[in-house]
Amino acid sequence: MTTAQQRLHHALDALDTAGRSAHPGPPVGGCEHCWTAEDLALLSGPPDLLPNELLRRAAVKSADLWYDFPTLYRRLAPRILRQLTTGVLADGELIATRLRAADWRKWPHADLVTEVLDAWWSGTLEQPAPPTHVPTVLETVAATTDTLAPWLRTWADTATPTADRHLADAVEGWLHWGEVLALKFGFYGEFEAGPELTEWLLALPPGRIPVDQRYWLELIVSPPPRES
């Protein structure tokens, strides 16, 4: 287990402990067309006892379907983040959008959420075959925190063959879809990432990304003038 994976393990455990020590919220209420009385009763109880499928549904459903979404999501966040960061739960861009809607920065244990995200990102860059694709993890952590800078700084500082292979693969995907400058993160595209990401890529030292990728990025940023 790497240092980053150990950090993630400890951060998830600390988040679990903080969640268990918090006062239980009011009974969970929500759209009765979407949730049965049994669902709502289970969601009102200990999060550790929730069936995985019910947890997944609660993790991704719209905030408008709940009477007190921030309180519910704060209670479920330790399990949601554990499953997300270990590859059990997908839909990272949607989880990021839900965390934003839950106003997670105002939670008493918001620092632990940040630590989980930071350890997850560092650990992902270290793994040759992480359970969640690197661009998806970047989108999730950036959209959740509403910033790219610290995550890109970590990637720049992780100058390893594995991290650089992830970088080349990510750029290849962004170039393939022709969306680098217009790239937006989050389920609803809440976070505009393209310009900052492109500028960062072009500022990397030579050799961090393949020459042909740098060429295409430069061409996208400064296309040649059209012939009249």
Side-chain angles (χ1 to χ4, degrees):
M1 183 180 291
T2 68
T3 301
Q5 289 171 322
Q6 289 176 332
R7 279 181 54 216
L8 177 59
H9 177 77
H10 293 318
L12 289 169
D13 286 349
L15 190 59
D16 281 339
T17 300
R20 292 192 189 101
S21 64
H23 295 295
V28 174
C31 172
E32 295 180 359
H33 295 288
C34 305
W35 311 101
T36 66
E38 182 182 2
D39 289 338
L40 295 175
L42 286 169
L43 288 164
S44 299
D48 288 348
L49 300 182
L50 284 178
N52 282 336
E53 178 56 23
L54 180 56
L55 177 71
R56 186 198 66 79
R57 289 173 55 213
V60 301
K61 286 290 188 180
S62 172
D64 296 338
L65 299 179
W66 307 99
Y67 297 160
D68 186 357
F69 177 73
T71 297
L72 171 67
Y73 222 76
R74 175 178 53 77
R75 290 180 57 248
L76 300 184
R79 267 198 73 189
I80 290 172
L81 288 172
R82 182 176 290 277
Q83 294 203 356
L84 178 67
T85 57
T86 55
V88 176
L89 187 63
D91 303 310
E93 74 285 355
L94 186 49
I95 300 299
T97 294
R98 299 297 178 244
L99 284 165
R100 291 167 67 103
D103 210 2
W104 69 273
R105 288 189 181 279
K106 293 183 179 179
W107 296 350
H109 47 267
D111 59 326
L112 295 177
V113 174
T114 302
E115 176 64 14
V116 166
L117 297 176
D118 186 64
W120 181 35
W121 175 235
S122 296
T124 297
L125 293 177
E126 293 178 355
Q127 298 178 69
T132 304
H133 291 161
V134 170
T136 301
V137 178
L138 178 63
E139 175 173 5
T140 304
V141 298
T144 299
T145 58
D146 207 34
T147 182
L148 261 175
W151 316 111
L152 297 182
R153 186 163 53 247
T154 297
W155 209 345
D157 291 343
T158 311
T160 64
T162 297
D164 284 356
R165 186 171 63 253
H166 289 318
L167 184 57
D169 289 345
V171 175
E172 186 67 26
W174 293 325
L175 287 172
H176 175 75
W177 294 107
E179 61 180 7
V180 181
L181 279 178
L183 196 64
K184 294 183 179 181
F185 288 164
F187 188 69
Y188 300 114
E190 305 96 316
F191 181 76
E192 186 173 337
E196 182 180 354
L197 178 60
T198 305
E199 181 180 0
W200 174 79
L201 288 168
L202 289 172
L204 287 171
R208 289 300 300 272
I209 59 175
V211 173
D212 62 323
Q213 290 184 348
R214 182 178 293 275
Y215 168 79
W216 286 110
L217 286 168
E218 290 173 344
L219 200 61
I220 289 170
V221 172
S222 301
R226 295 183 179 180
E227 294 183 3
S228 56

